[in-house]
Amino acid sequence: MPPRKNAPLPGEILLKTPFGLEQFPRDFVFCLGASFSAYSCISVFFLFPLVLQLKGFEPLAIGGAWIIFEFVLLGTRGWVNRWLTDRGSRPGMILGSIVLAAGVAVLSADLPYPMILLGRSMMGAGWGLFYIATTLHQARVLPSHLIGRGFGLAGLAPLLPQLGLIPLAEWMVRQGSPGFLYALSFTGCVLAAVFSWKLSPAKFPLQPHLPLGECLRESWSNRSLRALLLSGSLFAFSAAGFMPYVANAATEWGISGSSFLWPQALSAIVTRLLFGGWVDRYGKKLLFPSFFCIALGTMISMIGGTACTFVIGGLLHGLGMGLTYPLLYSLVARASDERSRTALFTLFGTFIDLLWAVAPLAAAAMAQALGFGTVLRGSSLLIAGFVAWMWYAVWPWLGEG
């Protein structure tokens, strides 16, 4: 009997979505499970500053607890690059999720401030390893015609917790019960380790270790790769410039941060489900429209400062972020080869995390004197200015050598 048309290949399963039947590698599906589980920690990422504020910590102390996460994450990038080159992405996902769970456990113990910094440091080390390993594994196992679609589905991982968990967790934190978000995040990390364990020990061609410094020199001399790295920084600033403190600013304006975070997540989810395939079809042509929506959404929400503008701005911001995530990772995956892939994904993640380190710290420092609301309004104007500059001066480089 001849094989059934569209039957799955060995090692693959059919992943049915509401929009048709598509074929994805088995490992990609387990990567999705691990990412969805680990991203439950997004409730700790975005609400821990609110926890500290309600405990009476000053803005600089809140910013310090945020920034040490990023400093440790960035400080371990060279080690992450070496680890993933020598041992592979599966062990990186397993170890990263375990260390991340340990950091959540420390934070849940309600210890003095130095131990808070320790817990945040552990989360930074674990997340830095897990995140790079996951995106690297996805880039390697996705078929070329499904890279954009696959990263669109993978990009749902940070959004579903934001949509379903953060409003409930924020309410419980305001009621004086932060234990829910710690328990949920710890459980998610454990599940991420289980899903990661189920990945097949992929056998990719061994390549010599490419140090991050050498990768940076090679990438920066290539104007197309330089444009991708700068786009990653803008993508990070489009969130890091204000999202960690949305709940804080909303408190100053007498509204709920979930008025922005919930519609933003819903819009991004719908965009990635419906239009993720556009990335494979249109590629770099989507850069300006997606970033324009992000900039417009931030200005409407932050300058307006009302529940209504939060909803409208969140919908626009989510539309842009919904396309930008799969678009950028698709472009990076297509621009890399097996020799440079590990180092280039690590370097691209570093450009993103540099902004996550600098922008929240700067915002917290300025908020000490100006308040979170004023600072976030300024951030929205900066985002719009950077989008205009990239459109005029940087994105024309894409496709050049």
Side-chain angles (χ1 to χ4, degrees):
M1 180 182 231
R4 179 172 57 87
K5 187 178 181 181
N6 294 329
L9 299 174
E12 295 187 325
I13 69 172
L14 289 175
L15 179 63
K16 188 174 182 179
T17 72
F19 310 98
L21 207 61
E22 295 176 308
Q23 201 170 57
F24 287 92
R26 169 183 177 274
D27 268 23
F28 174 74
V29 179
F30 281 126
C31 272
L32 281 182
S35 294
F36 284 134
S37 301
Y39 262 107
S40 63
C41 286
I42 199 170
S43 58
V44 177
F45 293 163
F46 287 139
L47 292 177
F48 192 67
L50 179 61
V51 173
L52 294 181
Q53 184 183 40
L54 294 177
K55 288 183 177 181
F57 285 89
E58 294 293 328
L60 279 179
I62 297 173
W66 179 277
I67 201 67
I68 197 168
F69 172 95
E70 295 294 341
F71 279 172
V72 172
L73 187 152
L74 290 168
T76 56
R77 277 293 189 239
W79 169 77
V80 165
N81 184 40
R82 170 68 74 174
W83 170 280
L84 295 177
T85 301
D86 294 343
R87 294 175 175 82
S89 47
R90 176 177 176 267
M93 290 174 63
I94 295 171
L95 179 61
S97 55
I98 291 173
V99 177
L100 187 60
V104 173
V106 171
L107 292 183
S108 68
D110 195 21
L111 299 171
Y113 189 72
M115 295 302 295
I116 290 175
L117 298 181
L118 174 62
R120 292 286 294 168
S121 298
M122 296 171 69
M123 290 188 71
W127 183 251
L129 180 58
F130 178 85
Y131 177 75
I132 297 297
T134 304
T135 53
L136 178 62
H137 201 91
Q138 290 165 343
R140 281 174 162 160
V141 302
L142 279 169
S144 60
H145 65 288
L146 288 176
I147 292 179
R149 179 66 174 157
F151 274 113
L153 292 174
L156 299 178
L159 298 175
L160 292 180
Q162 181 177 326
L163 181 67
L165 300 179
I166 285 186
L168 176 60
E170 182 182 8
W171 180 81
M172 296 192 72
V173 167
R174 292 184 184 278
Q175 299 301 310
S177 302
F180 170 78
L181 68 93
Y182 296 130
L184 191 68
S185 298
F186 182 83
T187 303
C189 293
V190 173
L191 287 175
V194 173
F195 279 115
S196 301
W197 187 269
K198 290 180 176 292
L199 294 171
S200 59
K203 302 296 183 182
F204 300 109
L206 294 177
Q207 296 290 338
H209 172 63
L210 179 62
L212 284 185
E214 182 179 345
C215 183
L216 175 60
R217 287 191 296 272
E218 293 180 2
S219 300
W220 204 255
S221 64
N222 182 312
R223 298 219 306 176
S224 184
L225 290 178
R226 193 192 316 172
L228 287 179
L229 294 175
L230 292 175
S231 298
S233 294
L234 177 58
F235 172 67
F237 184 60
S238 298
F242 70 100
M243 284 189 72
Y245 306 121
V246 164
N248 302 72
T251 299
E252 294 180 5
W253 295 329
I255 57 178
S256 170
S258 297
S259 300
F260 175 90
L261 295 172
W262 198 87
Q264 192 269 354
L266 179 61
S267 177
I269 287 172
V270 172
T271 300
R272 288 174 188 174
L273 282 175
L274 291 179
F275 307 117
W278 284 14
V279 171
D280 298 309
R281 189 181 312 166
Y282 300 110
K284 63 184 181 181
K285 294 178 181 178
L286 295 174
L287 276 169
F288 177 71
S290 59
F291 275 106
F292 176 79
C293 287
I294 291 171
L296 184 60
T298 57
M299 287 193 295
I300 290 175
S301 57
M302 296 301 129
I303 293 178
T306 67
C308 181
T309 60
F310 262 41
V311 172
I312 296 172
L315 289 172
L316 284 169
H317 188 273
L319 173 63
M321 295 295 278
L323 281 177
T324 303
Y325 178 90
L327 174 60
L328 290 180
Y329 278 101
S330 173
L331 292 174
V332 172
R334 297 179 191 279
S336 64
D337 54 28
E338 195 56 47
R339 170 184 173 271
S340 65
R341 185 164 290 128
T342 299
L344 186 57
F345 266 82
T346 306
L347 183 64
F348 183 74
T350 301
F351 268 71
I352 288 177
D353 290 315
L354 277 171
L355 266 295
W356 273 104
V358 173
L361 180 62
M366 289 186 288
Q368 186 83 21
L370 302 175
F372 284 105
T374 300
V375 171
L376 266 57
R377 283 171 172 152
S379 295
S380 69
L381 297 176
L382 280 176
I383 291 169
F386 283 132
V387 169
W389 175 71
M390 293 284 286
W391 169 72
Y392 176 76
V394 176
W395 287 328
W397 297 344
L398 286 169
E400 298 181 7

